[in-house]
Amino acid sequence: MSFYEDGKNVLSHLDEYYNQSINIERPVIRQLTISELHEKFGLAASLKNGDLSGERLDSFLKDYLDNTTRLHHPGYLAHQVGISHPTGALGSLIDGFTNNAMAIYEMGPAAAAIEFFMINYLLEKIGWKPMPTDIEKRLTFFHGGGVLTHGGSLANMTALLTARNHLDNTIRENGNPSDLVILAPESSHYSIAKAAGIIGIGENNVIRLETDIHGRVMVSRLDNAFQKTVNNGKRIVTLVANACSTGTGLYDPIDEIADFCKEKGIWFHVDGAHGGSALFSNKYKPYLHGILKADSMIIDAHKMLRTPGICAALLVKDAAALDHTFEHKASYLFHEKKQPGFDFIGQVIECTKAGLGLKFYMTLAAIGEKGMEAYIDNTYDLTRQAFDYISAQPDFEVPVRPESNILCFRFEAPDDVQIMLRDHLIEEGNFYISSTELNAKRYLRIVIINPATKMSDIKKLVLSIRSAAAA
């Protein structure tokens, strides 16, 4: 079979898969064992025979798609993974086929130009100055910068490295001294502590900021943390705030934290992997009030911005800080040459980097700004409606009013029952939800991220939970 014929076959299967999912004709989640899937897919045979085309490809696709987790299913409510837009998915296909490693401009001019455009687009959304398209003028005046990375964890780690090198530009060559710390709330994403360990600061040197009962940073306690840190002879690499937190979807008071960091001379990083998408909503952008004062921010386009995985943006107010983070020598890459564009390789951990901007651009260009705003508003609004409905149920507890599209709640039963209820829903296949801990109690957790999910689905979920509890 030709590439064209196999491609048509793939699109036909994906179209059928999509319709099955939104019409609830298949379970949202199905989990066979690894060995069962290996056998069903015929992996070993095709590797040996090299026959994955035509009828063999057709059979493989049917089995593969039937054993995926169907994010397009209205009952998908588990995690912060976006429902990718079909046009954005075509961007993934184009990038995969052209395979331009665009961190070096000459290896992917089109992809690099689009990433440059999308970074500037996001910088302007925040209110930071965009990068000049005339590369010779780069860093001749103060402006923002950024790069797209393969995920929010990598974006956060890049931000921490940038903040560390900004604090002390000798560390890259000499290594980390023992006096570096990071300030972050307990509710921060685990990637913050993980990155601290990877870059040599140490997970134990992430100092936990005091928070309220729901996990928001308490600004009134920041000075105590600062004075204690300084008195212990430590230097603060950065203070991290959530926009929003992963477990509960709550926003830290960014504006007040920003003022504190400015007063103390601390690099202020905002982890907006999920909730940074509120930049696209006039209604919910106030949750990000003060973001203009931050030094760096990340946003995952593959979460609320419906871009296929995986695509995250690291954005910095001062491009110079990022430019000097990953400068290295490699004579086959870095030398005098005609340079009509911009090499992102000096700003990222990766050397070979996919053209992430293409699928991001194609997604947003297909939906449009008003369409994206409507999508974000609708998901946030529906989460509030779900809160009102579940709060009114006598056998459910809801600990906090949602600020984003993440909602935690608890059926009136012990912690182990919450896990049992989730397991039952997953096995049943009509709903896929997650779970989290808050104040030492186990809660069920939903993320309303699918545009196909309606209030009627939330009501069915409540009935399913009651039914599972009674079983």
Side-chain angles (χ1 to χ4, degrees), residues 254-264 268 293:
I254 293 172
D255 191 48
E256 297 171 81
I257 297 173
D259 288 341
F260 174 84
C261 288
K262 182 178 180 180
E263 177 188 339
K264 303 298 184 182
F268 180 33
K293 304 174 185 177

Side-chain angles (χ1 to χ4, degrees), residues 172-277:
R172 280 187 60 200
E173 295 183 354
N174 300 330
N176 285 322
S178 60
D179 63 345
L180 302 181
V181 298
I182 294 168
L183 305 183
E186 183 71 35
S187 53
S188 290
H189 190 263
Y190 69 86
S191 64
I192 298 298
K194 181 179 179 181
I198 292 172
I199 68 177
I201 292 175
E203 294 187 10
N204 290 338
N205 288 317
V206 179
I207 297 175
R208 301 303 181 185
L209 296 171
E210 292 187 66
T211 61
D212 64 20
I213 60 171
H214 300 309
R216 296 187 192 89
V217 169
M218 298 177 67
V219 177
S220 62
R221 305 293 178 86
L222 287 178
D223 194 59
N224 290 339
F226 174 79
Q227 292 300 334
K228 184 177 180 180
T229 301
V230 172
N231 291 342
N232 287 335
K234 302 295 184 179
R235 289 186 292 169
I236 300 170
V237 172
T238 182
L239 188 155
V240 180
N242 294 319
C244 53
S245 61
T246 306
T248 58
L250 302 178
Y251 289 80
D252 284 328
I254 293 172
D255 191 48
E256 297 171 81
I257 297 173
D259 288 341
F260 174 84
C261 288
K262 182 178 180 180
E263 177 188 339
K264 303 298 184 182
I266 302 171
W267 183 284
F268 180 33
H269 174 61
V270 177
D271 184 352
H274 187 78
S277 56

Side-chain angles (χ1 to χ4, degrees), residues 140-204:
T140 60
F141 63 92
F142 184 88
H143 62 79
V147 68
L148 299 180
T149 71
H150 295 81
S153 293
L154 195 55
N156 271 330
M157 184 161 66
T158 308
L160 296 188
L161 282 168
T162 303
R164 186 201 66 179
N165 294 351
H166 181 264
L167 175 70
D168 186 340
N169 60 16
T170 69
I171 291 177
R172 280 187 60 200
E173 295 183 354
N174 300 330
N176 285 322
S178 60
D179 63 345
L180 302 181
V181 298
I182 294 168
L183 305 183
E186 183 71 35
S187 53
S188 290
H189 190 263
Y190 69 86
S191 64
I192 298 298
K194 181 179 179 181
I198 292 172
I199 68 177
I201 292 175
E203 294 187 10
N204 290 338

Side-chain angles (χ1 to χ4, degrees), residues 53-355:
S53 182
E55 292 183 3
R56 176 70 191 97
L57 176 61
D58 183 75
S59 174
F60 172 77
L61 285 171
K62 287 178 181 178
D63 288 333
Y64 181 85
L65 292 174
D66 201 40
N67 287 279
T68 63
T69 300
R70 294 175 179 263
L71 275 62
H72 297 88
H73 190 295
Y76 175 75
L77 297 160
H79 296 291
Q80 296 151 276
V81 179
I83 315 306
S84 59
H85 192 278
T87 304
L90 292 177
S92 294
L93 172 63
I94 295 167
D95 180 63
F97 189 82
T98 57
N99 206 31
N100 276 203
M102 48 64 62
I104 296 291
Y105 190 78
E106 65 185 38
M107 280 294 295
I114 289 179
E115 179 160 332
F116 196 97
F117 177 88
M118 294 307 295
I119 290 296
N120 273 350
Y121 177 79
L122 293 174
L123 289 173
E124 291 177 321
K125 281 283 183 186
I126 296 173
W128 294 341
K129 291 183 179 180
M131 301 180 288
T133 54
D134 184 348
I135 304 304
E136 292 184 0
K137 293 183 179 179
R138 185 169 179 78
L139 303 187
T140 60
F141 63 92
F142 184 88
H143 62 79
V147 68
L148 299 180
T149 71
H150 295 81
S153 293
L154 195 55
N156 271 330
M157 184 161 66
T158 308
L160 296 188
L161 282 168
T162 303
R164 186 201 66 179
N165 294 351
H166 181 264
L167 175 70
D168 186 340
N169 60 16
T170 69
I171 291 177
R172 280 187 60 200
E173 295 183 354
N174 300 330
N176 285 322
S178 60
D179 63 345
L180 302 181
V181 298
I182 294 168
L183 305 183
E186 183 71 35
S187 53
S188 290
H189 190 263
Y190 69 86
S191 64
I192 298 298
K194 181 179 179 181
I198 292 172
I199 68 177
I201 292 175
E203 294 187 10
N204 290 338
N205 288 317
V206 179
I207 297 175
R208 301 303 181 185
L209 296 171
E210 292 187 66
T211 61
D212 64 20
I213 60 171
H214 300 309
R216 296 187 192 89
V217 169
M218 298 177 67
V219 177
S220 62
R221 305 293 178 86
L222 287 178
D223 194 59
N224 290 339
F226 174 79
Q227 292 300 334
K228 184 177 180 180
T229 301
V230 172
N231 291 342
N232 287 335
K234 302 295 184 179
R235 289 186 292 169
I236 300 170
V237 172
T238 182
L239 188 155
V240 180
N242 294 319
C244 53
S245 61
T246 306
T248 58
L250 302 178
Y251 289 80
D252 284 328
I254 293 172
D255 191 48
E256 297 171 81
I257 297 173
D259 288 341
F260 174 84
C261 288
K262 182 178 180 180
E263 177 188 339
K264 303 298 184 182
I266 302 171
W267 183 284
F268 180 33
H269 174 61
V270 177
D271 184 352
H274 187 78
S277 56
L279 285 171
F280 288 76
S281 167
N282 288 323
K283 183 176 182 179
Y284 292 108
K285 189 176 180 179
Y287 281 125
L288 295 169
H289 180 60
I291 191 64
L292 184 68
K293 304 174 185 177
D295 294 292
S296 58
M297 178 187 188
I298 74 162
I299 303 173
D300 284 3
H302 60 269
K303 287 188 168 68
M304 284 298 292
L305 299 180
R306 299 200 59 191
T307 300
I310 192 165
C311 176
L314 164 64
L315 307 160
V316 296
K317 183 189 295 183
D318 181 4
L322 184 58
D323 269 37
H324 301 313
T325 297
F326 298 109
E327 291 175 322
H328 282 288
K329 295 179 180 180
S331 61
Y332 66 97
L333 292 176
F334 311 118
H335 54 80
E336 292 298 322
K337 60 182 177 180
K338 183 178 180 181
Q339 179 63 300
F342 176 67
D343 291 342
F344 278 98
I345 196 168
Q347 299 189 321
V348 290
I349 294 173
E350 306 105 300
C351 177
T352 303
K353 192 170 87 69

